[in-house]
Amino acid sequence: MATSDLTSRILAYRELQDFNSDQIVDWAIEMLALGHETPSILILAGISKPTNFFETEKYLLDALRELGMLIPERHEAILGYCKYFIEQISKAISVRYNLNKLYKIAQTTLDDNVVFDFYLFYWAWSDLDYGETYQDYVPEATKYNIETLLINKAKEWLKEKE
């Protein structure tokens, strides 16, 4: 099954403080566009926004079951959600945006251990943007090489998690 930001977010929804159940409808529409049609996905795609969390959650759980997907345990759910953004960084896709997403995930889940190195890169880049020529978070990083170092760190992280 194709991995997307939305699918990984849906699988981690119980761990995310900023989760909005309207995203379940968006996910159902995305699943239909990808050719995954089940009774519960069809129902979800037809629910009007703003949604009722309890109604959409019931159909979400049914849809996941129909697709043969399980909601992972807390750590695995957060890891899976973070992995999507780290994969994007490793491909040099919207590097700064995806780093900001990782930072926010660490903040809202209170679990920065999963992405601790990326947390450091976030603060290092912030200091460099502020005009600092040196920062302690990633000592080898400068404003000229931080993006390349971050992309390499993402590739390393993915290799370690295989």
Side-chain angles (χ1 to χ4, degrees):
M1 179 168 300
T3 304
S4 71
D5 168 19
L6 211 41
T7 297
S8 58
R9 186 168 179 79
I10 290 296
L11 291 174
Y13 82 95
R14 290 179 177 162
E15 311 307 328
L16 304 174
Q17 292 177 1
D18 64 342
F19 184 77
N20 180 326
S21 62
D22 288 355
Q23 295 167 340
I24 296 171
V25 173
D26 298 337
W27 173 79
I29 292 167
E30 180 180 84
M31 289 295 100
L32 288 173
L34 292 171
H36 303 288
E37 186 177 312
T38 72
S40 297
I41 288 176
L42 289 170
I43 291 168
L44 283 169
I47 293 176
S48 298
K49 296 178 189 177
T51 60
N52 174 293
F53 175 78
F54 299 105
E55 177 188 15
T56 54
E57 183 184 37
K58 175 199 174 308
Y59 289 113
L60 170 63
L61 296 173
D62 290 344
L64 292 173
R65 191 184 72 256
E66 291 162 0
L67 293 170
M69 299 172 76
L70 298 173
I71 295 179
E73 295 297 322
R74 182 183 197 292
H75 180 76
E76 289 302 313
I78 295 168
L79 185 68
Y81 188 41
C82 290
K83 185 178 178 188
Y84 173 81
F85 298 106
I86 294 168
E87 286 171 345
Q88 297 299 299
I89 291 170
S90 76
K91 296 173 187 172
I93 298 170
S94 303
V95 174
R96 190 68 185 268
Y97 170 81
N98 287 302
L99 179 61
N100 288 339
K101 292 294 280 185
L102 287 172
Y103 175 76
K104 286 180 182 173
I105 294 166
Q107 292 263 290
T108 60
T109 62
L110 305 175
D111 191 352
D112 64 358
N113 292 334
V114 172
V115 291
F116 185 72
D117 291 336
F118 299 97
Y119 208 73
L120 294 176
F121 269 96
Y122 174 87
W123 286 108
W125 209 329
S126 293
D127 279 3
L128 293 170
D129 277 350
Y130 187 67
E132 301 292 328
T133 54
Y134 178 80
Q135 43 66 42
D136 289 323
Y137 303 104
V138 184
E140 65 277 16
T142 67
K143 66 181 181 176
Y144 305 107
N145 72 355
I146 193 163
E147 186 169 1
T148 301
L149 290 174
L150 178 56
I151 291 167
N152 291 337
K153 175 55 78 178
K155 290 176 183 176
E156 241 177 73
W157 188 93
L158 290 168
K159 197 175 279 188
E160 286 173 13
K161 300 298 178 193
E162 284 180 350

